[in-house]
Amino acid sequence: MTALIMPLVGFMFFLMLFALLIVFLLNGSSAAKPRKKYRDSQYARKPNPKSSLSREEKTQLKGAIGEQIIKVEVLSKLDPSRYRYFHNLIVPIGNGSTQIDNIIVSPYGIFVVEAKYFQGWIFGNAGQPKWTHTLPSGSKFTFQNPLWQNYKHIKALAALLKLPEKQFHSVVVFTHRHCRLKTEFPENVCPVRDFIAYVQKHQQEIFTIEQCADFCAVLSNPVYEATPERTEQHIQSLKNRKNVQTA
């Protein structure tokens, strides 16, 4: 009996050794393969590709964002029976045209709003032709005094509606939530959180509801709508005038 068991035990022991050898070889083969790094896998977060937008396109995009923020503020917080909102109109002025982002017609005057979607710090004053925009990175840029820019808009609207300029309110609003005004500005230059309060502080009626309806009828004319074609013509006109001035 013993003679029969011993060969059987030996055979089983040989099978176990053979199985262990197979497992070892398989694990060794798997370990030998280089592991795919997480950063190279499909699950790794890939860096954002560099924006392909031109500087002009980025400026237009920021302008559109600022315009939409103003629109939401007006439509959600002002009485629509007293305040009528218009946006993105191209109005004639002299031999050219000017593009106006935001207009609010009310019995308390016509508010012409220039929106700036800038992140960072803003330095300047009402009398300076250029203001300074400082980014969180420390980079600095200058830009045209938006109060002066808005005055051109008011002149165009005053001529179109046949009204004196004193019946318009110029407002400059910095709409980015991480924007800070670092020098003393007049109260009509404000962050977006103070915008509606500034509009509502004007309570002296200078127009009747009927007059406001007449102004709105003029501004609603499709000829002033900033269609892609009219916008392209306006931009080309600005470039032509700039080339003439620098020639």
Side-chain angles (χ1 to χ4, degrees):
M1 186 71 177
T2 303
L4 292 174
I5 292 175
M6 290 302 295
L8 183 60
V9 171
F11 180 71
M12 292 178 65
F13 181 73
F14 173 77
L15 287 178
M16 290 177 61
L17 287 178
F18 183 75
L20 288 173
L21 179 61
I22 294 298
V23 170
F24 175 77
L25 290 175
L26 289 175
N27 286 340
S29 175
S30 175
K33 293 180 181 178
R35 292 186 177 180
K36 191 174 185 179
K37 294 182 178 179
Y38 175 77
R39 66 172 178 268
D40 298 326
S41 73
Q42 60 176 318
Y43 306 104
R45 185 177 180 180
K46 302 296 189 293
N48 293 327
K50 190 173 181 180
S51 174
S52 59
L53 295 177
S54 67
R55 184 175 181 179
E56 183 176 294
E57 289 171 331
K58 288 179 181 178
T59 300
Q60 291 175 352
L61 179 60
K62 288 181 179 180
I65 294 173
E67 178 185 312
Q68 288 302 311
I69 292 173
I70 295 296
K71 182 178 181 179
V72 170
E73 287 285 304
V74 171
L75 297 182
S76 64
K77 298 178 180 179
L78 293 178
D79 182 356
S81 68
R82 308 290 286 175
Y83 299 89
R84 178 75 182 275
Y85 176 73
F86 295 87
H87 72 282
N88 204 18
L89 302 184
I90 296 179
V91 177
I93 181 171
N95 295 324
S97 60
T98 187
Q99 189 166 6
I100 307 175
D101 293 339
N102 310 276
I103 304 168
I104 306 170
V105 177
S106 79
Y108 317 107
I110 298 176
F111 297 84
V112 184
V113 185
E114 178 66 23
K116 297 294 183 186
Y117 189 73
F118 290 171
Q119 178 185 10
W121 292 354
I122 306 298
F123 299 86
N125 61 56
Q128 288 182 323
K130 296 286 186 180
W131 292 1
T132 301
H133 172 207
T134 301
L135 293 170
S137 64
S139 301
K140 296 182 179 181
F141 305 91
T142 59
F143 60 101
Q144 182 185 1
N145 182 333
L147 288 171
W148 294 12
Q149 180 183 0
N150 218 25
Y151 177 62
K152 182 179 180 182
H153 299 160
I154 289 176
K155 284 179 66 69
L157 286 173
L160 179 67
L161 300 176
K162 299 178 174 57
L163 292 172
E165 294 173 10
K166 66 180 181 180
Q167 293 180 327
F168 293 82
H169 304 294
S170 177
V171 192
V172 174
V173 184
F174 288 89
T175 54
H176 199 292
R177 64 193 180 104
H178 294 307
C179 182
R180 297 292 180 269
L181 307 183
K182 302 299 287 184
T183 49
E184 187 174 349
F185 289 96
E187 62 177 344
N188 62 329
V189 178
C190 60
V192 69
R193 63 179 177 272
D194 298 331
F195 165 55
I196 295 298
Y198 175 77
V199 172
Q200 291 177 326
K201 73 176 293 183
H202 295 81
Q203 290 297 310
Q204 181 179 353
E205 294 191 12
I206 58 177
F207 301 130
T208 65
I209 294 298
E210 291 73 23
Q211 285 176 303
C212 290
D214 291 339
F215 303 148
C216 291
V218 174
L219 297 176
S220 298
N221 191 324
V223 73
Y224 304 124
E225 183 182 349
T227 62
E229 295 78 13
R230 293 197 74 236
T231 301
E232 181 60 32
Q233 292 173 1
H234 169 68
I235 293 173
Q236 190 58 50
S237 175
L238 291 178
K239 290 179 179 179
N240 292 341
R241 274 186 283 173
K242 186 176 180 179
N243 291 337
V244 169
Q245 291 173 355
T246 57

